Amino acid sequence: MQLLMLMISWMRLQLKLKKLQIQVKLKEKLLKKRFLIVLDGVWNARPDDWELFCRPLQIGDQGSKIIVTTRHETVALKVGTVETYFLKELGDEDCLRVFAKHALLSRSAIQDQNIHVLGGEIAKKCRGLPLAAKALGGLLRSIPSVDDWYKILKREIWQFSDEELGIIPALKLSYYYLPSHLKRCFAYCSIFPKGYIYDKEQIILLWMAENFIETPNQGLTMEEVGDQYFNELVSRSFFQKSSFHKSQFMMHDLINDLARDVFGEFCSKLEDKFSPPVMEKTRHISFLRDNYDLDLVEDLKMAKRLRTFLSLNLLWPFLASTSQEVPVDHLTVLTCLRVLSLNDCYEIKRLSKSIGNLIHLRYLDVSRTSITKLPESVCTLYNLQTLKAAKCASLRKLPKNLRRLVNLRYLDIRGTPLQQMPKKISKLVNLKMLSTFVVGKNKGSTIQELKEISKLHGSLSINKLQNVAGSADASNAKLVDKEFLEELKLNWDGTTGLKDSQEEINLLNNLRPHENLKKLSLHYYRGTRFPNWLGNHSFHSLTSMSLNCCRYCNSLPPLGQLPSLKVLEILQFDELVTIGNEFYGSSALKPFPSLEILKFICLPAWTKWHSLREKSFPCLYELHIENCPSLSDDLPRQLQSLVKLVIRDCQKLAASIPKAPALQEMEITNCDKVVLKEIPSNLESFKVKGCEIMQSTFKALEYTGSRLQSLEMSSCSRDILFPQLKLPSSLRKLIVQDCEKLVIPTEQPNKTIEWISISESCDSLVSFPMSMFPNLSYLFLKGCKALTCLLLSQNCLQFPSLYSLSIVNCPAFVCCGNFSAPNLTHLLISGCKSLISLPENMDFLMPSLQTLIIYKCPKIEYFPGGSLPSGLAELQIGYCDKLVANRSDWNLQRAESLEIFSIIGRCENVESFPDDDLLPANVAELFIDGFVHLKRLNGKGLENLDSLLEFNISMCPQIQSLPEEGLPNTLKFLSIWGCPLLRERCKKDIGEDWPKISHIPFITIDE
């Protein structure tokens, strides 16, 4: 449990860091740019979320705009800065054009008078709504008869108003004309909440479980028929393709409303306490895991004939509610269940034996739970088609009689550390998807069990191949016959050394897959060479290959013969010395005609890469050569399509950079012998590490012009100067790390530089000349030993582009100076032991400041002027005891936007915290850490925090109890660490203070 709580805390921290990274990236992209952002279909009107979203957008140029569309007027009122514009319906002609496009009407057909008039009449029925026109067009595309179009026009459904029908008639009609088998498939999707990302494969499996897919004919499988169903719904605009992944889809809110309307009380979405009640006739339930206001037990008692129970986690993994547990035992008495998904229910450690009572169950998902075993009674679920037990970290084996599940078609155990497969899995001849097969040593669990499972689709990972008794066993697996398999992963465990190399070669030779394979990876193969089939040009569909940890191989197969190969990774070959002609294959073939990404990583013995042909790699886009310390010379001379080049830790490499006219991004790290004669003309980003390559870079910059925009330099202890004592004219971003003697040119003003980061470098830098960089947006200074101040001139005291300023571990730093930074949102000052004061008048000079972090600055006593910017959203103070001692003067009540407050340090004289009226009421997250003498939490200081959502108390060993008044009712997260006295009082159910916190959904207390 402690590990789980640590993971929860860590994941929530990652969410915060992710948000910050996104904000920084947005600021980089939008800096000084005039932009137009369109947010379509906004439904969240919470001011704090809107403010968080808008923070990085404030850095854009004047005239930037944000357009928000929404179905809710309240959203428009809360986020709008101008008068709300209410969209009018499309005109009839525009509506006709949308309709015609989706009905696939040709221009000549539209010009036909009859069709034009009829189409116009139908378009009018859409009432100007594009989605309705789109849906109707998709419907009529499948009805070619004009006479049938007239019938549709005369249907009674048009006589109802939107209010009477509840759903726009045009959308209702698009459902009405669906074939019956698609109607139920579509209606079933009402079980998912709005905004849900639909995975095509999962939806098809659910349809199969509910018996919605008709008996296939014409040699098709149920999965293929389901795929046709889904594609048909996509073509009719019931689903929309997601931009994230080709197998993911979304559903418009209006379409979701339609599904809910047609399924009615048969479906219940338990989203919050306002969800419609579960009825006796309810057959399908989905339950949101981040919901903690529901009584699931009572709901399940009502739905005695439930067919579907889906647990959905719309948050990140590990962030589902730990207080609202799914009542598994109550589910196992619902004997009509066909679908049971407990995905992401981490609190579940076991399944009851009574699950065997669910004789109609066809879909069972226990992925990412804490179960240690599946009960044997699972093997009596003879109708089971889908079993998912992926990423179950505590599950070591499957039920021994799994072979009895003769109707099983889908078995997903990816990421689950199984020791071996149950015996006689070959009996599962209907399997279409088997994610993983773990080879056992005993009879009945050997690789030969795969022989009869001939119809596998998708991806198969075969693990522990060291347990294969011999090459004959491998041949009996009949991988060569599995024509529908798209991806194959062959894995040895890497713990055993080289035995009989020829036997290993024979084994891999007999594991030859079908030529339709698209992806192949080998991990810890133990042979000294590869069999002939690897690289055979007959593998015409192979697009991706990864050869990883083949430690004993001393040569590569002829991979250049693979006509469709796009991605190739060669990693950790200890014995590979030379890459020569054998790599390219037959001279009659053009080598690597399709390769786009090539990676050579961790090849310690590799010395030669030769016999490179001029026309090799015509499509190569990205090349990585990393940690190849023996490679001495010979790189491809010319790579016409190369855009990205990475060379790392190749200390002996003395070759020239290939001629690459398209090269935009390059990194050369710890490769001091690499020859850089010129900067490629289109290079935009360059990262170098090491003295020699830095000097070569500066020399190349001196003699060749470039478009270089980003330059990152590190690890050079020599005296080194920029050419002509100035930065490249095109440079916008400069990063310097561990270059103690580097001198950055500061004699001439530079208006192009926007980003500067200097870490443990430039020891001679006494003052940073801010005025030389008037358009600076980001400044990070760390470990600059002599730095005392930011140098300002009277001619330049305003920095309108600056949004982030950080000064870290600069022991001589005394003051920041007073300057105007109206768009500064982030200020960090840490480890500056000589710093006496912060900038004056921050509320006036830095009005946009949102995050202020002061850490290990022991001489700071006050916030200058006694006030902070009113828009400050986050304040962190750590190990600043003098500043904390004067907290009564902070005047935080004026910081009306403060949401996050964190205070860390010994704070020797603080026994009670927070003080009365110290914190403003809008604080949502409160962190107290390291108060060694803190004995109590001040109830009066907490009682007014009516927005508090998260409270973290760490390393306060003397704190004795929680306030008598309890904690704010708004709390959702409570974390207590390193507080032994408080820990005892807050033990679940038995601690004296447990009643004060039992209402909080997420609680983590160290053991």
Side-chain angles (χ1 to χ4, degrees):
M1 179 58 73
Q2 185 174 9
L3 176 61
L4 173 60
M5 299 308 181
L6 280 168
M7 286 300 297
I8 291 172
S9 299
W10 182 84
M11 292 295 286
R12 296 189 66 252
L13 175 61
Q14 295 306 304
L15 275 173
K16 292 178 185 177
L17 293 176
K18 193 72 175 177
K19 287 180 181 177
L20 181 59
Q21 290 170 359
I22 291 172
Q23 287 189 18
V24 171
K25 288 289 184 185
L26 268 176
K27 288 176 180 177
E28 286 183 50
K29 297 292 184 184
L30 300 179
L31 179 66
K32 293 185 181 177
K33 292 180 181 176
R34 193 175 177 187
F35 59 79
L36 171 65
I37 295 178
V38 179
L39 304 174
D40 187 31
V42 175
W43 55 269
N44 185 353
R46 289 186 295 186
D48 51 347
D49 287 344
W50 181 251
E51 184 198 1
L52 181 66
F53 171 78
C54 287
R55 285 179 190 174
L57 305 180
Q58 296 170 357
I59 203 70
D61 203 357
Q62 189 173 4
S64 298
K65 305 290 183 185
I66 302 175
I67 297 177
V68 174
T69 70
T70 179
R71 293 172 60 201
H72 306 284
E73 189 174 355
T74 54
V75 172
L77 293 174
K78 290 183 179 180
V79 306
T81 58
V82 296
E83 184 179 353
T84 301
Y85 179 81
F86 292 90
L87 288 175
K88 297 178 182 179
E89 296 82 3
L90 286 181
D92 289 346
E93 284 299 317
D94 290 330
C95 210
L96 175 59
R97 278 194 286 269
V98 174
F99 164 78
K101 176 182 177 181
H102 290 276
L104 298 182
L105 293 178
S106 65
R107 182 174 298 178
S108 60
I110 297 174
Q111 291 173 351
D112 182 278
Q113 186 64 26
N114 291 330
I115 294 179
H116 185 87
V117 172
L118 180 58
E121 288 298 316
I122 292 176
K124 287 180 181 179
K125 297 293 188 181
C126 297
R127 303 186 186 181
L129 186 68
L131 181 62
K134 181 179 177 183
L136 264 184
L139 163 64
L140 297 182
R141 181 171 56 199
S142 61
I143 304 176
S145 171
V146 175
D147 291 338
D148 288 333
W149 287 26
Y150 275 109
K151 293 177 183 178
I152 290 173
L153 190 60
K154 296 180 182 297
R155 288 208 56 85
E156 293 180 0
I157 194 170
W158 300 113
Q159 298 174 12
F160 294 94
S161 67
D162 296 355
E163 292 75 19
E164 291 173 316
L165 196 61
I167 298 294
I168 296 164
L171 298 183
K172 187 80 171 183
L173 193 70
S174 66
Y175 168 78
Y176 181 88
Y177 275 92
L178 279 176
S180 59
H181 61 274
L182 291 184
K183 282 183 177 178
R184 59 194 179 206
C185 290
F186 164 68
Y188 184 77
C189 294
S190 65
I191 197 172
F192 297 100
K194 291 180 180 179
Y196 186 77
I197 303 296
Y198 294 82
D199 180 80
K200 185 178 184 179
E201 183 179 65
Q202 181 200 23
I203 297 301
I204 293 172
L205 292 173
L206 291 173
W207 288 344
M208 289 166 50
E210 298 292 351
N211 204 26
F212 291 161
I213 296 179
E214 296 177 344
T215 304
N217 51 28
Q218 299 176 346
L220 298 177
T221 65
M222 279 200 294
E223 292 81 0
E224 289 169 337
V225 175
D227 189 71
Q228 290 180 353
Y229 287 8
F230 197 97
N231 291 339
E232 180 66 17
L233 289 173
V234 172
S235 72
R236 293 171 180 254
S237 303
F238 287 95
F239 288 109
Q240 302 169 354
K241 290 184 179 180
S242 169
S243 58
F244 300 107
H245 194 276
K246 65 179 181 180
S247 68
Q248 293 179 337
F249 295 80
M250 302 186 71
M251 182 178 285
H252 194 283
D253 285 357
L254 289 176
I255 301 293
N256 189 282
D257 289 340
L258 174 62
R260 182 199 61 206
D261 179 75
V262 298
F263 222 24
E265 295 176 347
F266 291 105
C267 173
S268 180
K269 290 183 285 193
L270 302 181
E271 298 179 271
D272 53 44
K273 60 184 178 182
F274 303 109
S275 298
V278 174
M279 311 293 285
E280 186 175 353
K281 64 172 67 174
T282 300
R283 297 293 183 265
H284 310 280
I285 287 179
S286 65
F287 162 62
L288 296 192
R289 295 280 295 129
D290 54 335
N291 194 310
Y292 33 79
D293 295 323
L294 300 172
D295 188 346
L296 267 180
V297 174
E298 291 302 316
D299 285 328
L300 293 175
K301 286 180 180 178
M302 285 296 299
K304 295 179 181 179
R305 297 191 178 186
L306 194 68
R307 293 166 65 100
T308 302
F309 181 89
L310 287 179
S311 173
L312 302 176
N313 179 15
L314 301 186
L315 298 174
W316 277 24
F318 291 103
L319 293 186
S321 168
T322 55
S323 65
Q324 173 67 305
E325 297 184 358
V326 174
V328 180
D329 291 340
H330 287 80
L331 286 166
T332 56
V333 301
L334 301 173
T335 55
C336 294
L337 271 178
R338 287 173 174 265
V339 171
L340 175 57
S341 175
L342 304 172
N343 192 316
D344 282 327
C345 296
Y346 287 95
E347 74 278 4
I348 295 179
K349 296 182 179 179
R350 68 173 187 87
L351 284 182
S352 170
K353 294 180 181 179
S354 59
I355 196 171
N357 297 333
L358 305 181
I359 59 174
H360 299 291
L361 197 66
R362 297 186 177 192
Y363 182 104
L364 175 61
D365 188 355
V366 293
S367 299
R368 287 182 288 273
T369 61
S370 299
I371 59 171
T372 56
K373 67 176 182 178
L374 286 170
E376 280 296 322
S377 58
V378 167
C379 301
T380 64
L381 302 175
Y382 300 120
N383 290 306
L384 198 66
Q385 296 172 339
T386 298
L387 175 58
K388 295 184 178 184
K391 298 183 180 179
C392 295
S394 302
L395 186 63
R396 294 293 182 269
K397 61 181 180 179
L398 296 174
K400 63 181 180 180
N401 291 313
L402 195 72
R403 64 182 182 274
R404 294 178 178 173
L405 300 179
V406 292
N407 289 307
L408 197 66
R409 306 173 70 87
Y410 190 102
L411 178 57
D412 185 2
I413 47 178
R414 283 172 290 191
T416 295
L418 297 179
Q419 297 172 345
Q420 68 178 31
M421 304 300 288
K423 291 183 178 181
K424 302 295 181 182
I425 201 171
S426 58
K427 300 293 184 181
L428 304 180
V429 293
N430 288 312
L431 273 179
K432 297 295 183 292
M433 190 278 185
L434 174 62
S435 67
T436 310
F437 184 91
V438 183
V439 180
K441 296 180 179 179
N442 302 321
K443 186 177 181 181
S445 62
T446 67
I447 196 171
Q448 296 184 68
E449 294 296 309
L450 288 172
K451 177 181 179 180
E452 303 299 328
I453 312 175
S454 59
K455 300 176 183 178
L456 288 177
H457 290 61
S459 175
L460 170 63
S461 177
I462 305 179
N463 298 343
K464 296 192 176 183
L465 280 166
Q466 72 278 0
N467 291 337
V468 176
S471 57
D473 277 10
S475 179
N476 287 333
K478 298 295 181 183
L479 295 184
V480 71
D481 294 337
K482 303 186 191 324
E483 59 181 307
F484 305 111
L485 207 59
E486 295 184 357
E487 182 175 8
L488 180 62
K489 302 175 183 178
L490 301 176
N491 304 316
W492 291 253
D493 71 357
T495 60
T496 55
L498 178 64
K499 292 183 179 180
D500 186 336
S501 176
Q502 187 57 49
E503 180 62 23
E504 292 294 315
I505 296 169
N506 293 340
L507 186 151
L508 183 56
N509 186 57
N510 290 342
L511 290 174
R512 175 175 178 150
H514 194 275
E515 292 168 356
N516 289 342
L517 197 73
K518 294 180 180 179
K519 294 183 179 181
L520 175 67
S521 69
L522 273 64
H523 203 88
Y524 286 113
Y525 169 60
R526 301 182 300 180
T528 55
R529 61 180 179 82
F530 294 97
N532 294 333
W533 67 262
L534 207 70
N536 192 300
H537 63 84
S538 62
F539 284 86
H540 50 83
S541 299
L542 197 62
T543 61
S544 176
M545 182 181 294
S546 176
L547 306 178
N548 197 340
C549 295
C550 303
R551 299 188 184 279
Y552 307 106
C553 283
N554 51 38
S555 63
L556 293 177
L559 302 179
Q561 299 179 149
L562 296 170
S564 302
L565 190 66
K566 292 184 177 182
V567 179
L568 175 60
E569 296 178 341
I570 310 292
L571 300 90
Q572 294 185 283
F573 278 54
D574 291 352
E575 302 294 332
L576 183 65
V577 176
T578 301
I579 296 179
N581 287 333
E582 77 288 345
F583 185 47
Y584 304 95
S586 171
S587 59
L589 298 173
K590 185 178 181 180
F592 296 105
S594 304
L595 194 66
E596 296 175 356
I597 299 175
L598 175 60
K599 295 183 179 182
F600 296 110
I601 299 176
C602 294
L603 309 179
W606 184 30
T607 59
K608 290 282 185 181
W609 184 8
H610 58 191
S611 299
L612 300 174
R613 304 176 190 172
E614 292 295 333
K615 295 183 179 180
S616 298
F617 311 110
C619 299
L620 193 65
Y621 180 90
E622 185 174 327
L623 173 62
H624 290 248
I625 305 173
E626 303 179 31
N627 198 11
C628 301
S630 302
L631 184 63
S632 57
D633 57 18
D634 279 342
L635 291 179
R637 295 184 183 90
Q638 191 164 1
L639 296 170
Q640 289 289 342
S641 302
L642 194 69
V643 173
K644 181 176 181 178
L645 174 64
V646 176
I647 306 176
R648 294 185 186 137
D649 301 311
C650 301
Q651 291 85 351
K652 293 184 179 180
L653 185 60
S656 297
I657 297 298
K659 290 184 178 180
L663 192 64
Q664 296 178 11
E665 183 178 351
M666 182 163 63
E667 176 183 342
I668 305 177
T669 300
N670 292 334
C671 305
D672 278 348
K673 294 185 178 181
V674 168
V675 179
L676 182 66
K677 297 179 180 178
E678 62 181 12
I679 302 294
S681 59
N682 289 309
L683 193 68
E684 295 179 357
S685 176
F686 192 14
K687 181 178 180 179
V688 293
K689 183 177 181 179
C691 290
E692 297 295 339
I693 191 63
M694 278 183 61
Q695 288 183 326
S696 298
T697 299
F698 283 3
K699 193 170 184 179
L701 284 171
E702 186 172 0
Y703 294 107
T704 59
S706 75
R707 300 179 183 178
L708 197 62
Q709 295 184 24
S710 174
L711 177 60
E712 183 173 347
M713 305 177 294
S714 60
S715 301
C716 181
S717 57
R718 299 182 190 172
D719 287 318
I720 190 167
L721 297 173
F722 276 86
Q724 301 175 6
L725 297 178
K726 65 179 182 180
L727 297 170
S729 59
S730 58
L731 200 65
R732 298 176 59 188
K733 184 175 184 178
L734 176 65
I735 300 175
V736 181
Q737 185 172 351
D738 296 321
C739 298
E740 299 89 344
K741 297 183 180 180
L742 178 68
V743 176
I744 294 179
T746 58
E747 299 299 321
Q748 302 177 21
N750 188 309
K751 295 184 179 181
T752 59
I753 286 284
E754 298 169 357
W755 176 296
I756 293 180
S757 174
I758 301 174
S759 301
E760 315 296 340
S761 302
C762 306
D763 285 356
S764 62
L765 185 66
V766 176
S767 58
F768 184 84
M770 290 280 290
S771 301
M772 294 293 104
F773 305 99
N775 293 320
L776 203 60
S777 63
Y778 179 94
L779 178 60
F780 182 88
L781 303 174
K782 178 183 177 183
C784 300
K785 299 175 182 178
L787 184 68
T788 61
C789 64
L790 302 179
L791 186 62
L792 303 166
S793 71
Q794 292 300 318
N795 297 328
C796 186
L797 291 174
Q798 289 196 353
F799 300 89
S801 300
L802 189 67
Y803 69 82
S804 179
L805 172 61
S806 301
I807 303 171
V808 180
N809 295 342
C810 297
F813 192 76
V814 176
C815 69
C816 297
N818 297 316
F819 57 90
S820 173
N823 290 307
L824 186 71
T825 59
H826 180 90
L827 176 59
L828 164 64
I829 302 178
S830 174
C832 298
K833 62 183 181 181
S834 300
L835 184 65
I836 299 174
S837 66
L838 297 171
E840 298 281 347
N841 301 317
M842 283 195 292
D843 53 341
F844 175 71
L845 295 175
M846 302 174 181
S848 300
L849 192 65
Q850 295 170 357
T851 301
L852 176 60
I853 302 173
I854 311 297
Y855 196 74
K856 291 187 177 180
C857 298
K859 291 187 178 181
I860 292 182
E861 299 185 28
Y862 301 97
F863 291 122
S867 63
L868 296 168
S870 59
L872 191 69
E874 180 174 0
L875 176 60
Q876 296 186 33
I877 300 172
Y879 300 101
C880 300
D881 285 3
K882 290 184 178 180
L883 182 61
V884 174
N886 293 312
R887 60 190 178 279
S888 60
D889 298 326
W890 288 355
N891 195 16
L892 292 183
Q893 293 296 332
R894 189 175 178 278
E896 298 173 352
S897 301
L898 191 66
E899 296 177 358
I900 301 174
F901 179 79
S902 173
I903 185 164
I904 305 172
R906 295 181 61 82
C907 302
E908 300 281 356
N909 299 319
V910 179
E911 295 187 358
S912 175
F913 194 85
D915 302 345
D916 295 2
D917 298 322
L918 175 67
L919 301 176
N922 44 285
V923 168
E925 299 179 25
L926 176 59
F927 300 80
I928 301 174
D929 188 350
F931 282 34
V932 292
H933 295 296
L934 184 67
K935 295 181 179 179
R936 59 188 176 275
L937 293 172
N938 181 17
K940 290 186 177 180
L942 293 170
E943 65 182 4
N944 70 313
L945 303 183
D946 52 17
S947 298
L948 193 65
L949 298 175
E950 178 177 353
F951 191 12
N952 290 265
I953 313 167
S954 302
M955 306 309 295
C956 299
Q958 294 193 42
I959 191 167
Q960 298 170 359
S961 64
L962 296 176
E964 286 300 321
E965 306 92 325
L967 298 176
N969 290 329
T970 55
L971 265 182
K972 304 300 181 188
F973 300 90
L974 174 64
S975 175
I976 300 174
W977 295 88
C979 308
L981 302 178
L982 194 56
R983 178 201 309 145
E984 294 300 315
R985 294 182 62 91
C986 292
K987 281 189 174 180
K988 186 174 182 178
D989 297 328
I990 60 174
E992 294 181 58
D993 282 346
W994 175 252
K996 301 176 183 177
I997 63 173
S998 60
H999 66 284
I1000 302 173
F1002 299 82
I1003 300 175
T1004 63
I1005 302 177
D1006 64 338
E1007 297 294 335

